[in-house]
Amino acid sequence: MQFLPRLRIISDVYDDTDSDQSSAKVSIIDTVSLEDQTKKLSIAIQEEVTSFDGNDSVLRLKKNFPYELRDEKDRRWYSYFNEYEYRLNKHYRNTKRGAWYEFLYPNHSKKSRAERHLLYKLDMVIAFYFLMLCWSKSVDTSNYTNAYVSGMKEDLHMKGNDFIYTSTIANVGSIIFQLPFMYLLPRFPAHIILPCMDMGWTWFTFACYRAKSLAELRAYRFILNAFGAAYYPVSQYILGCWYAPDELSSRVCMFYCGQLLGTVTSGLLQSKIYDALNGVHGIAGWRWMFLIDAVAISLPTAIIGFFVIPGVPSKCYSLFLTDEEIRIARTRNRLNNIKDAVPKEELKKLWDLSIWKKVFGTSTFWVLVVFDACSWNNFGSTGGAYSLWLKANPDYSISRVNQLSALPASLGFFYVILCSFGADLFRCKWIFMVFAAIMNTISCAILIKWDVSAATKWFAFLLTYFSVAASPCLWTFINDFLRFDPQIKAVTWIAIYSVSQSTYAWIPTLVWPTVDSPRFKTGYISSLIFGAIYGLWTFVVLYFYKRNEKRNALNNGIIIYNSDKEEKPAFVENMLTEDEDGFYYRNDNI
């Protein structure tokens, strides 16, 4: 039993409970190593103290936390494009970096050795596992297209738009069955939920190999996607609870690289399997791929998940993290103003109207829905357009088609890494999102024209994965918007994902009909429009993000005022003391 994950009951660095209504609110764990590391973190203890200034506004000040006092009278118009202007104060942002790769670990020189080890472990365990998980799902999803061009179409007598309709039916299964996770996600441990769903995914992936008819295949794909409904929102929910805002894009990039790796793997595996196993024991090559995918890829990934998914810092089940590292993760979340969980008894009923008012009654939800919906529908290779174009060329054999199908996704690795790592390196997501949208619209414009040289057409197809290159940046934006309330975060994540994915369930049937193969002019026009909106909408999201962070500037360590309009806030003199480093700290006598 010692090898099974269990809830880690760990006394925190601080304790907010009052004994006999006494004024003592803080008790420090008497651990030398912990005391040392918290000094290096400079924010070891967060004690929230309620006080009032002249306007009776509630102040929540953190002990041992550096506050930046910022006069905005000379603020320039171009500061609008400074994404983290109100999210990170100068104490955090002004750290000099050493080696170029240290952007992966911001403020590396200020972090304690224990915190650095925590980040290394998180990367090796959480980020790498979600890469594996996404790879597993992507192999099977991509294999559907590869199977179609490798004999499944003929064996199951698929014709007309059967290919795109089957994909739509599968997507409907995912949309419907992810809705229960609005309730499940904040209440039950992810290391149980996600692997159990993966076991169902594995079984119905295995079932696809024995499909004897199109109707049977559609039933299997529907149920399979129903079991796969959780892995996108749950994985993003977990990642957002462990990483700081300028660490997250790079880690979500690893998750997304798993999807691209699955696309590449599926094409190459299908090619080898078709050559080596087609007809062996009377089983077609495309059936062997589903069989191998289920037994050799999906099943091991599901089993591993029971042991490596750690939950969230406040409710941790990890076998790999020490008590000290869990405490540091909780401290990091307090520093970054991230709330990762609340006790079950404090969760509201899902049908409580106040939850839905907070979700649907805010501009944030609708802004992010438009953003995510455009992200889902700007992909220039929806409906297997590239693979079907290859198949239409009589010079390419089935094996060659499967091999070449991996090319765009292989380049996609570079595109995703460029945008995601660049976003964390320069602490600026929006510019890479706009750049990716521009490249995607160029690709779609060429394919709309179609009557171009073969080299130009190849160039356009090889750019198609710019349409998804900035997805990690998008998900990082969503995570940061929703970091304040775990229950609202769960409901909003699922709602955004469901609404966006539902558009992906019906739009492709209208604009990517299989009978238009291989040109798909309407599909590329649609992708160009969604891609252009996506690029322009980035500035709308940036506006709402900056507005949201300005409202929460004090919690982010930034005290804002304008000396032309108002005096320095009274609480700065009364409750804070300026230190030698030029930052303000809460008075010890408060």
Side-chain angles (χ1 to χ4, degrees):
M1 294 296 292
Q2 61 180 327
F3 300 107
L4 296 178
R6 63 188 186 281
L7 182 62
R8 303 281 292 276
I9 307 298
I10 302 170
S11 55
D12 214 339
V13 175
Y14 70 100
D15 184 0
D16 280 339
T17 58
D18 290 58
S19 176
D20 299 326
Q21 304 298 320
S22 68
S23 60
K25 282 194 161 188
V26 180
S27 63
I28 305 176
I29 304 300
D30 186 19
T31 305
V32 175
S33 61
L34 181 59
E35 188 175 24
D36 289 342
Q37 73 186 331
T38 53
K39 286 179 181 178
K40 293 177 183 178
L41 282 167
S42 78
I43 45 86
I45 305 166
Q46 173 187 352
E47 178 190 8
E48 291 184 335
V49 178
T50 302
S51 182
F52 297 87
D53 65 10
N55 297 320
D56 290 339
S57 59
V58 178
L59 299 178
R60 302 166 73 84
L61 300 178
K62 305 171 188 177
K63 188 176 180 181
N64 296 335
F65 183 84
Y67 286 89
E68 173 196 348
L69 183 62
R70 185 182 299 174
D71 186 352
E72 292 210 308
K73 70 173 183 177
D74 296 322
R75 182 177 181 269
R76 304 303 182 190
W77 65 269
Y78 49 79
S79 295
Y80 166 81
F81 299 102
N82 180 358
E83 187 175 309
Y84 286 114
E85 181 182 11
Y86 301 112
R87 182 65 175 95
L88 304 174
N89 68 16
K90 287 184 179 179
H91 186 274
Y92 189 98
R93 288 188 285 115
N94 286 355
T95 303
K96 293 183 179 180
R97 289 167 175 165
W100 66 269
Y101 55 81
E102 287 191 6
F103 77 88
L104 291 171
Y105 304 97
N107 283 324
H108 199 276
S109 61
K110 286 187 179 180
K111 296 187 191 314
S112 68
R113 181 179 180 183
E115 186 178 3
R116 293 197 297 268
H117 285 177
L118 167 65
L119 287 173
Y120 302 151
K121 279 189 180 180
L122 292 178
D123 287 346
M124 289 186 291
V125 177
I126 301 178
F128 183 71
Y129 173 73
F130 283 128
L131 183 153
M132 290 177 55
L133 179 66
C134 196
W135 168 66
S136 171
K137 298 293 181 291
S138 181
V139 166
D140 178 70
T141 303
S142 301
N143 184 48
Y144 169 67
T145 300
N146 292 318
Y148 181 82
V149 298
S150 300
M152 184 177 72
K153 173 184 177 182
E154 292 76 16
D155 288 355
L156 299 184
H157 308 293
M158 299 174 73
K159 55 187 178 181
N161 292 322
D162 285 343
F163 174 83
I164 193 67
Y165 289 159
T166 304
S167 294
T168 299
I169 290 170
N171 285 331
V172 170
S174 178
I175 294 166
I176 293 173
F177 286 95
Q178 66 189 333
L179 296 177
F181 288 92
M182 292 180 176
Y183 177 84
L184 297 172
L185 193 50
R187 289 175 169 82
F188 297 96
H191 79 283
I192 299 296
I193 294 176
L194 205 50
C196 285
M197 298 295 285
D198 287 343
M199 295 298 286
W201 173 283
T202 299
W203 175 254
F204 283 96
T205 298
F206 176 82
C208 286
Y209 109 93
R210 64 177 301 277
K212 299 297 192 295
S213 66
L214 177 58
E216 187 178 355
L217 177 69
R218 285 176 171 174
Y220 292 150
R221 300 298 291 183
F222 177 87
I223 301 173
L224 181 150
N225 273 39
F227 278 107
Y231 88 100
Y232 257 109
V234 173
S235 58
Q236 299 312 306
Y237 183 96
I238 294 173
L239 287 171
C241 291
W242 287 96
Y243 288 103
D246 55 346
E247 300 166 351
L248 190 54
S249 292
S250 302
R251 277 65 185 188
V252 178
C253 171
M254 292 183 66
F255 172 89
Y256 209 85
C257 281
Q259 181 166 331
L260 299 175
L261 181 63
T263 303
V264 173
T265 304
S266 180
L268 298 178
L269 277 178
Q270 182 68 73
S271 173
K272 293 294 183 182
I273 290 171
Y274 189 88
D275 288 340
L277 295 176
N278 187 37
V280 174
H281 300 301
I283 301 175
W286 66 268
R287 295 183 186 274
W288 274 109
M289 184 55 192
F290 283 120
L291 184 60
I292 293 172
D293 180 15
V295 177
I297 298 176
S298 296
L299 183 60
T301 306
I303 294 173
I304 291 171
F306 285 107
F307 300 94
V308 302
I309 298 176
V312 298
S314 295
K315 295 181 179 179
C316 187
Y317 295 81
S318 178
L319 296 173
F320 302 96
L321 300 179
T322 65
D323 290 357
E324 192 174 358
E325 288 166 340
I326 294 172
R327 290 190 185 102
I328 294 172
R330 294 173 180 175
T331 301
R332 280 164 45 86
N333 277 358
R334 292 192 290 276
L335 166 66
N336 292 300
N337 200 18
I338 298 171
K339 189 173 183 180
D340 58 41
V342 294
K344 277 189 179 181
E345 59 271 15
E346 295 182 17
L347 292 171
K348 297 178 181 179
K349 302 294 184 183
L350 189 58
W351 52 85
D352 190 320
L353 289 179
S354 63
I355 293 178
W356 300 100
K357 286 180 180 178
K358 286 184 179 179
V359 174
F360 297 122
T362 60
S363 55
T364 296
F365 174 79
W366 301 105
V367 168
L368 294 177
V369 162
V370 173
F371 208 25
D372 200 37
C374 290
S375 174
W376 272 91
N377 292 284
N378 73 342
F379 190 28
S381 283
T382 303
Y386 171 65
S387 295
L388 294 174
W389 173 67
L390 292 175
K391 189 178 182 181
N393 189 328
D395 295 333
Y396 297 140
S397 65
I398 289 178
S399 294
R400 189 60 175 163
V401 168
N402 282 308
Q403 291 169 359
L404 292 175
S405 68
L407 275 177
S410 298
L411 288 173
F413 281 106
F414 171 73
Y415 304 154
V416 172
I417 290 172
L418 171 67
C419 293
S420 303
F421 282 27
D424 281 350
L425 174 62
F426 297 103
R427 288 178 176 150
C428 182
K429 295 185 288 293
W430 70 265
I431 195 168
F432 291 95
M433 301 179 84
V434 172
F435 170 71
I438 292 172
M439 298 303 291
N440 182 45
T441 55
I442 291 173
S443 169
C444 291
I446 293 172
L447 293 172
I448 289 169
K449 183 173 176 57
W450 194 257
D451 295 325
V452 294
S453 67
T456 303
K457 197 172 294 183
W458 269 105
F459 172 76
F461 276 118
L462 295 179
L463 287 182
T464 53
Y465 271 79
F466 264 112
S467 59
V468 297
S471 292
C473 300
L474 166 64
W475 297 339
T476 302
F477 258 131
I478 296 176
N479 256 316
D480 219 20
F481 266 110
L482 304 178
R483 70 184 186 273
F484 303 105
D485 186 326
Q487 187 170 22
I488 297 298
K489 177 180 179 178
V491 174
T492 307
W493 248 120
I494 301 297
I496 290 172
Y497 198 72
S498 298
V499 173
S500 303
Q501 192 176 8
S502 66
T503 65
Y504 190 69
W506 60 269
I507 289 178
T509 62
L510 299 179
V511 301
W512 294 95
T514 311
V515 294
D516 285 356
S517 174
R519 185 170 182 178
F520 293 109
K521 181 176 181 179
T522 305
Y524 290 119
I525 292 174
S526 172
S527 293
L528 186 146
I529 293 172
F530 279 110
I533 295 174
Y534 181 80
L536 294 172
W537 200 256
T538 300
F539 296 103
V540 177
V541 173
L542 181 62
Y543 166 78
F544 280 92
Y545 179 75
K546 294 288 294 288
R547 188 184 70 170
N548 193 47
E549 294 307 326
K550 189 173 184 179
R551 291 172 177 172
N552 290 279
L554 184 60
N555 284 331
N556 294 333
I558 304 169
I559 303 168
I560 300 173
Y561 78 106
N562 189 323
S563 58
D564 283 343
K565 301 178 182 179
E566 58 186 335
E567 295 182 356
K568 186 186 302 182
F571 74 86
V572 174
E573 300 291 341
N574 299 331
M575 301 176 66
L576 298 172
T577 301
E578 187 175 6
D579 206 359
E580 295 177 355
D581 59 5
F583 293 91
Y584 289 77
Y585 296 82
R586 209 194 73 189
N587 293 333
D588 291 336
N589 59 354
I590 294 178

